[in-house]
Amino acid sequence: MKTSLAVIFRAMVRGKTYAALNIFGLAIGLACFGLISAWVMNEMSYDRFHENHDRIVRLAGNVKTDSETFDQAVTSPPMAEALVRDYPEVEAAVRLSDRGAIVQSGEKQFDESSLLFADQSFFDIFSYDLTTGDKHSALKDPYSIVLTQSMAEKYFGSENPLGKTLKIFLFDPDGKGAPYKITGVMPDPPKNSHVVFDFLGSFNT
């Protein structure tokens, strides 16, 4: 072993340029391998934190027009109820609709871009828990909303926001906004989730 190391060392001393190029190339190769491996592992980790991730599917539609045909992960709202009713193997379904809105607290208004509306079954399908509130009823009533922890701190600081309201300008055509009752607070969704949001509102709205 010592003899082999001595031979390698002498060869490196004699051919310094060649040795430097080899070492540099090896370092670059290992660095690229590490970065690619980290990226692949991150991509494959998406949504794996859900307890039933291997049983959750996303319904997509195939759209055909006069000029093109394309796929999109959008279907009509009645599809969810029809799937649960007509297909016994479908245990539950949840409708999701994301959009931006103006959110007002007191006299301050904020332009928020990540408001997600969902059915109450959201918490049956996805492994999210509430730090405050009851997840079994949090999205049951219209104009109810769950805040992520970061939004709760943004709008209410250290106060408990449960039962308080935020005015959200969204559906109303007269531009007056509607009060949404806060029914829960939950941790921010992980970065490796393809469903990301800051607010979770009741689809019944």
Side-chain angles (χ1 to χ4, degrees):
M1 182 67 178
K2 290 182 179 179
T3 303
S4 299
L5 289 175
V7 171
I8 293 172
F9 181 74
R10 285 197 295 270
M12 291 175 62
V13 171
R14 286 196 299 268
K16 293 180 181 179
T17 302
Y18 181 72
L21 288 174
N22 277 330
I23 294 173
F24 180 74
L26 177 62
I28 293 295
L30 289 174
C32 290
F33 174 78
L35 290 173
I36 292 172
S37 298
W39 178 79
V40 170
M41 290 177 64
N42 179 66
E43 289 294 304
M44 295 185 67
S45 73
Y46 265 69
D47 296 326
R48 294 299 180 95
F49 60 91
H50 295 302
E51 182 180 351
N52 297 315
H53 65 85
D54 57 334
R55 295 162 56 202
I56 301 173
V57 298
R58 185 175 184 178
L59 193 64
N62 181 259
V63 182
K64 296 181 180 180
T65 68
D66 293 335
S67 59
E68 61 179 338
T69 299
F70 59 92
D71 295 320
Q72 64 177 11
V74 177
T75 54
S76 60
M79 185 69 72
E81 182 182 353
L83 287 172
V84 175
R85 182 186 65 238
D86 298 337
Y87 294 87
E89 59 269 35
V90 178
E91 297 179 34
V94 59
R95 297 169 295 176
L96 303 175
S97 176
D98 63 321
R99 59 194 65 216
I102 301 297
V103 180
Q104 180 175 327
S105 176
E107 299 300 319
K108 295 183 178 180
Q109 290 187 343
F110 299 89
D111 187 1
E112 303 289 0
S113 61
S114 194
L115 198 161
L116 182 69
F117 286 88
D119 291 309
Q120 178 59 43
S121 55
F122 179 89
F123 292 108
D124 298 327
I125 296 174
F126 299 112
S127 300
Y128 290 112
D129 288 314
L130 300 185
T131 54
T132 304
D134 181 7
K135 70 177 184 179
H136 299 294
S137 60
L139 299 178
K140 180 180 179 181
D141 298 325
Y143 297 100
S144 59
I145 195 165
V146 172
L147 306 184
T148 59
Q149 188 63 45
S150 58
M151 290 298 104
E153 293 173 358
K154 175 179 178 179
Y155 284 92
F156 297 97
S158 59
E159 296 180 32
N160 182 3
L162 200 66
K164 298 181 179 179
T165 60
L166 288 172
K167 181 176 284 190
I168 297 179
F169 298 83
L170 186 66
F171 294 118
D172 51 316
D174 55 7
K176 294 182 179 180
Y180 283 68
K181 182 180 179 181
I182 299 168
T183 53
V185 177
M186 62 179 290
D188 291 8
K191 299 298 182 183
N192 60 342
S193 170
H194 88 277
V195 180
V196 293
F197 53 89
D198 293 321
F199 303 84
L200 189 63
S202 169
F203 200 95
N204 287 331
T205 308

